[in-house]
Amino acid sequence: MPPGRGFITGLGAITGILGTITSLLGAIRGILGTIAGLLGAIPGLGTAAVAAPVAVSLLPIGFLAYKRWEATEERDKMSKSLNRARLDVEEEKRVRRTVEDRQRESERAAAEAAEALQRAEEARLEAAEALRRAEEARLATERRWFEGVRPECRPSEADIVRVRAEYRYSPGFFHLAVVGSSGGGKSSFINAVRGLSNNDPIAAPVGVVETTDVVTRYTDPRPGSQIFWYDVPGAGTQNVPDWQYFNNLGLYIFDCIIVLIDNRFLDSDLTILRACEQFTNIEVFIVRSKSDQHINNMALGKMPRGFDPCSADDETRARFQQIKTETRREFVNKTYQNVQTNLESNNISPKGVYIVCQDAVHAMWNNVPSPMAIDEGQLQNDVAECVHRRLHGVVQN
């Protein structure tokens, strides 16, 4: 039986008893009133005579009244007990609801914590995967670097503006950079194409070791010249690793780049040429420098041990000159073939190749013929055509 239902049933029974007692008391009062009226109508019957039996007859009424009071008290007690029971039931329900609410809140918090833990684990796994991919990319990049494939890096517009300002790029002029490996004779070449000797006061400094540590601009002293020559630090040094050379030095702003190679084609030379392929605005020439030294050394290597051109007889000197002529032809053919083979094997488009020496360049740029000249005149003409094409949109005849 639910709490409080017994109290309600007992309270209802008491209420019924009280109603019955009340009805009986009313009936008794009516009978007593009738008796009192009849007795009062009998002559000679005094008040005391009437009062005595009435008082006797009221005893049951008093008893019933007491019982009624007693029942009322019991009903009130049961009603209070019922109210307390009802309050207890309501408090029990409230406590149960509170417990249930807290349990639901705990379950919800546990579910949220589990979900957050799952998200954290997923984020950890994603971070680990991203780290793994980054490490794979790093290893792949390093592998490509060792294989000679350098990462591409396109400069932003801000980079171009900054480097042009730094190198004083001037509209209406042709900006030509001479680049290559350290010690390749770039400074001497720049002096020669400007018609200067290495001892000239405005000549670029030269030396056995790399003497250029920053990109340096030189004007062309000939009247009417629209060329600015730039001497660029050698590639492949500790200060400028070859795979960073092109972008770090901002070579992408130049109109033309002459890649100066010395004894053989180096990885740094290929790196520069490969970077130039990304920029259609850059004209590229490959120049094989110090040709006279190489030809002379090759010819001397074919002569008997101890041979000295200065002390040799005429016949020996004549044979040496013949060997030197044949060696020159061999050197030129092998150089062209070697350069093109290196370009093809590295997927670099064909480029103009020019074999020169400093003395012949100096002579040709001063309009003086030189017996040592090989491609100096062709290089001079092609540079002039490039300047006119870029500045005037026409080709010089």
Side-chain angles (χ1 to χ4, degrees):
M1 179 180 297
R5 182 172 295 180
F7 289 107
I8 295 173
T9 302
L11 184 61
I14 293 173
T15 302
I17 293 172
L18 289 174
T20 302
I21 294 173
T22 301
S23 298
L24 289 174
L25 288 174
I28 292 172
R29 286 193 188 96
I31 294 172
L32 290 176
T34 301
I35 293 174
L38 292 175
L39 291 175
I42 299 174
L45 189 62
T47 302
V50 175
V54 171
V56 173
S57 63
L58 288 177
L59 290 174
I61 294 175
F63 176 76
L64 291 175
Y66 170 76
K67 289 297 184 181
R68 179 184 179 186
W69 172 84
E70 189 179 48
T72 300
E73 287 294 316
E74 185 65 21
R75 183 191 64 184
D76 291 342
K77 290 180 181 180
M78 295 187 69
S79 179
K80 291 179 180 179
S81 298
L82 179 61
N83 288 335
R84 283 195 301 271
R86 186 182 297 112
L87 292 174
D88 290 342
V89 171
E90 291 177 355
E91 179 64 18
E92 182 181 354
K93 289 181 179 179
R94 187 189 65 78
V95 171
R96 186 164 55 248
R97 283 195 302 270
T98 301
V99 172
E100 291 174 352
D101 290 343
R102 291 179 178 176
Q103 184 177 359
R104 284 192 297 269
E105 183 66 25
S106 298
E107 292 174 353
R108 183 166 58 253
E112 291 177 354
E115 185 178 355
L117 185 61
Q118 182 179 358
R119 289 196 301 269
E121 179 64 15
E122 292 175 353
R124 186 190 66 79
L125 294 176
E126 289 179 0
E129 177 64 17
L131 184 62
R132 184 188 65 79
R133 290 196 299 267
E135 180 65 13
E136 288 182 353
R138 183 186 67 81
L139 294 175
T141 299
E142 290 182 354
R143 185 171 60 254
R144 288 196 299 273
W145 291 349
F146 287 122
E147 293 171 354
V149 180
R150 307 309 190 205
E152 294 186 1
C153 180
R154 302 293 297 185
S156 65
E157 289 297 325
D159 291 332
I160 294 174
V161 171
R162 176 183 57 79
V163 175
R164 282 184 171 178
E166 180 181 350
Y167 294 165
R168 294 179 292 168
Y169 187 96
S170 304
F173 286 85
F174 191 78
H175 305 79
L176 195 155
V178 180
V179 304
S181 60
S182 177
K186 296 182 299 299
S187 298
S188 295
F189 176 80
I190 287 179
N191 290 334
V193 295
R194 295 163 64 219
L196 305 174
S197 67
N198 288 339
N199 296 324
D200 195 283
I202 62 172
V206 297
V208 177
V209 297
E210 182 68 29
T211 57
T212 304
D213 55 4
V214 294
V215 177
T216 306
R217 187 177 81 157
Y218 294 97
T219 59
D220 196 314
R222 285 164 294 208
S225 175
Q226 294 177 286
I227 301 177
F228 283 120
W229 297 89
Y230 287 80
D231 194 355
V232 180
T237 64
Q238 184 176 2
N239 293 332
V240 187
D242 59 345
W243 62 272
Q244 295 176 337
Y245 185 82
F246 190 90
N247 288 306
N248 282 12
L249 294 181
L251 301 186
Y252 43 77
I253 66 107
F254 290 106
D255 302 307
C256 179
I257 291 178
I258 290 179
V259 180
L260 205 67
I261 60 175
D262 187 3
N263 192 31
R264 59 189 177 88
F265 232 121
L266 302 177
D267 287 344
S268 57
D269 302 323
L270 295 171
T271 300
I272 296 168
L273 291 170
R274 189 178 294 108
C276 290
E277 296 269 282
Q278 304 175 42
F279 300 89
T280 58
N281 61 299
I282 301 177
E283 298 273 357
V284 180
F285 299 138
I286 299 175
V287 174
R288 175 68 157 89
S289 65
K290 304 179 182 179
S291 63
D292 56 336
Q293 297 179 21
H294 292 290
I295 293 171
N296 193 66
N297 290 337
M298 290 173 65
L300 287 173
K302 297 177 181 180
M303 296 299 291
R305 184 184 297 273
F307 168 74
D308 184 358
C310 297
S311 60
D313 56 45
D314 293 341
E315 182 180 354
T316 304
R317 278 199 301 269
R319 188 167 68 253
F320 174 68
Q321 289 300 325
Q322 182 181 358
I323 291 174
K324 194 171 181 178
T325 300
E326 295 172 354
T327 301
R328 171 191 172 106
R329 188 182 308 112
E330 177 188 354
F331 171 79
V332 169
N333 292 334
K334 284 187 175 180
T335 297
Y336 290 149
Q337 182 180 1
N338 178 58
V339 171
Q340 295 304 332
T341 299
N342 274 280
L343 295 178
E344 291 176 5
S345 63
N346 287 276
N347 297 318
I348 299 174
S349 60
K351 300 287 187 296
V353 181
Y354 307 86
I355 302 173
V356 304
C357 70
Q358 178 185 345
D359 291 340
V361 169
H362 182 271
M364 296 297 293
W365 250 261
N366 283 302
N367 298 318
V368 177
S370 172
M372 295 184 295
I374 300 177
D375 292 325
E376 288 83 356
Q378 187 62 49
L379 175 62
Q380 184 181 31
N381 291 336
D382 290 348
V383 169
E385 288 182 2
C386 185
V387 172
H388 281 263
R389 184 168 56 250
R390 182 61 60 90
L391 299 183
H392 309 294
V394 296
V395 177
Q396 185 182 30
N397 294 323

